Amino acid sequence: MSRRLRATVLTLVAALGLVAGGLVGPAASARASAPTGCTAGAPALPWHSFTLGPDMTGDGRGETIVVDAVGALWLLPGQADGGVGTACRLGSGFSDIQVFAPGDIDGDGRADILGITPDGNLWLYPGNGAATQRGMTQVGSGWTGWRLIPSGDLTGDGKPDLLGIDGRGTLYLYAGKGNGRFATRVAVGSGWTGWQLYAAGDLNGDGKADILGIDSRGVLYQYTGKGNGRFNPRQVAGKGWSGYLLAAGADLTGDGLADIVGGNRSTGDLFFYRGVGNAQFAARVQIGWGTLKPPVVNPPVVSRCGTGGLTESHPGHWIEVDLSEQRTCLHDGGTVVASFLVSTGRPGHETPTGTFSVLNKYPLLDYSSNKPGDTYYLPNVHWNTRFYAGYLFHEAYWHNMFGHVESHGCVNMRLADAKALYDFVKIGDLVIVHQ
């Protein structure tokens, strides 16, 4: 395992994109409440997602932005020693929103937040430089089918830019105009199918924004920027990145070098990796938040998912997974409206039992692993509904073992069944998994 970065990235990245005709004007409403102030507190565990951003508090250091288990948006201010200051709650309703903190998008000299809703709309939450935001404005639509990477200033004009990867693996640059809008896209690379790509900030101290890429084998590469939207040939920066979610692209300590935060998918711990230049990092420092293990609880007694004997119902739409029968049912109150054979986790990769809720929904994801003896790469998996940590309902086009245990812990479904479940539930709906 690399001494430079001792962890790995198994990241589930939602497919997001740019509308072909450019960005559109503001709309009247959004899925999340506009962040308007900062309230000290503690995020609800487990964390749902996180990203890094530039200075939002005026102290010259970058921040870690977290969406917690109930969809609240939090700011964790960076500290010179690599730790974080008191968590600050910015807003709520972000469970199903992809959150980015790319810098000053609207040109007022203050760092902003971007959010993309499941329907592909892009929202700008302008910052005021004091860990608060000033309302919200829709600045884009049609951002689906792509992978989006807010990438800092790649062109050297002082304005944050965006990178996007289409379904064919072509990499495009969208140069920022500094007013919340972006120029027409320009192709700057190809062959990015199966890669995870991250804005990295300035890794080598030359004043130009760089990117990090992780291939399907878990090898980490750095691509140093040329300052014109293009990049130098890649260099290996690490190997063995598995089991972690990654956020990069901000200087959290104020020393002028980009840092990384990694989240352990198994435990829920967050770790800080201080950048020391040239894509190398100091030993990690834990910055939160304790153990996150799949809960094993006694769920309510429910039906055997289609075999009769329903003894309990719940209001609204909810999902039942019966591990003993390898079957998933969709319930509307006390009525079973659909029932599907599924494949849950095989021995050693058991699907956790308990009471959960729908956390977010992704129309398209790539899945990969680089563990010895368990290597796989599964691109373009449709209709992904996440209900706990790294556990999701999704289609499985690579096998036809429905009715038998087969998965790595997720609930594998036929394409039509996965689509039906995806359309049936909304964020927050109940999920019960039992033997």
Side-chain angles (χ1 to χ4, degrees):
M1 185 176 294
S2 169
R3 294 180 61 190
R4 295 174 180 170
L5 291 172
R6 298 180 150 192
T8 337
V9 178
L10 175 55
T11 299
L12 306 178
V13 179
L16 304 169
L18 290 165
V19 59
L23 300 170
V24 300
S29 64
R31 301 281 298 262
S33 64
T36 56
C38 178
T39 304
L45 297 182
W47 45 262
H48 171 65
S49 63
F50 61 93
T51 188
L52 300 188
D55 178 24
M56 296 183 182
T57 61
D59 64 0
R61 293 186 287 267
E63 328 292 0
T64 302
I65 308 297
V66 173
V67 177
D68 72 7
V70 297
L73 183 69
W74 294 82
L75 181 149
L76 281 65
Q79 303 290 293
D81 61 0
V84 294
T86 301
C88 168
R89 186 179 183 276
L90 297 177
S92 60
F94 284 82
S95 290
D96 60 349
I97 294 179
Q98 297 293 311
V99 176
F100 307 97
D104 177 20
I105 293 295
D106 57 8
D108 65 356
R110 299 163 180 169
D112 308 312
I113 291 174
L114 288 176
I116 301 177
T117 53
D119 55 9
N121 290 329
L122 177 66
W123 293 85
L124 170 67
Y125 302 87
N128 71 355
T132 57
Q133 269 58 49
R134 299 172 284 112
M136 55 192 179
T137 302
Q138 186 182 344
V139 294
S141 64
W143 295 58
T144 53
W146 291 59
R147 283 178 284 164
L148 176 68
I149 306 99
S151 48
D153 176 22
L154 294 174
T155 59
D157 62 0
K159 301 167 184 174
D161 307 311
L162 297 177
L163 290 172
I165 303 174
D166 68 11
R168 294 168 297 180
T170 304
L171 181 67
Y172 292 94
L173 168 70
Y174 295 80
K177 294 184 176 181
N179 60 357
R181 306 288 194 254
F182 298 87
T184 303
R185 72 186 189 190
V186 176
V188 294
S190 60
W192 288 90
T193 302
W195 284 69
Q196 305 296 341
L197 191 62
Y198 300 92
D202 180 14
L203 291 173
N204 59 0
D206 65 356
K208 301 169 184 174
D210 309 313
I211 58 175
L212 290 170
I214 301 171
D215 69 10
S216 60
R217 301 167 300 163
V219 179
L220 178 68
Y221 295 93
Q222 65 163 320
Y223 296 79
T224 55
K226 294 183 177 181
N228 59 359
R230 300 187 181 271
F231 303 91
N232 293 305
R234 71 187 188 187
Q235 295 178 305
V236 175
K239 296 181 180 179
W241 282 69
S242 62
Y244 275 69
L245 302 174
L246 181 69
D251 172 19
L252 299 181
T253 61
D255 63 0
L257 296 171
D259 307 309
I260 281 180
V261 169
N264 188 303
R265 295 177 66 251
S266 299
T267 67
D269 296 334
L270 289 181
F271 296 94
F272 167 73
Y273 298 81
R274 180 198 295 270
V276 296
N278 200 30
Q280 298 194 39
F281 298 85
R284 71 185 189 184
V285 175
Q286 186 170 348
I287 59 175
W289 289 305
T291 300
L292 165 60
K293 294 182 179 179
V296 178
V297 300
N298 295 318
V301 177
V302 294
S303 76
R304 281 296 177 182
C305 210
T307 63
L310 181 68
T311 60
E312 184 172 349
S313 67
H314 301 274
H317 289 187
W318 57 285
I319 302 170
E320 176 187 4
V321 181
D322 187 332
L323 299 179
S324 67
E325 293 193 1
Q326 289 295 289
R327 183 173 292 275
T328 291
C329 284
L330 306 183
H331 295 260
D332 186 359
T335 303
V336 176
V337 299
S339 176
F340 318 114
L341 287 176
V342 298
S343 293
T344 62
R346 61 179 181 259
H349 299 275
E350 290 82 2
T351 303
T353 59
T355 301
F356 311 95
S357 62
V358 175
L359 297 177
N360 48 15
K361 299 162 63 177
Y362 306 110
L364 196 68
L365 290 177
D366 297 341
Y367 293 83
S368 64
S369 171
N370 196 43
K371 295 180 180 179
D374 194 26
T375 300
Y376 59 86
Y377 171 56
L378 302 169
N380 301 322
V381 179
H382 290 84
W383 313 124
N384 305 267
T385 302
R386 178 172 173 261
F387 63 94
Y388 176 73
Y391 298 93
L392 301 89
F393 300 91
H394 60 73
E395 71 146 338
Y397 57 77
W398 51 91
H399 73 77
N400 192 30
M401 296 292 292
F402 306 106
H404 306 275
V405 294
E406 176 65 21
S407 80
H408 284 73
C410 290
V411 180
N412 288 183
M413 308 179 73
R414 294 183 176 92
L415 176 63
D417 300 342
K419 178 64 160 60
L421 183 147
Y422 185 95
D423 291 340
F424 182 77
V425 295
K426 65 181 185 301
I427 305 301
D429 281 350
L430 178 68
V431 178
I432 296 175
V433 184
H434 66 87
Q435 295 292 337

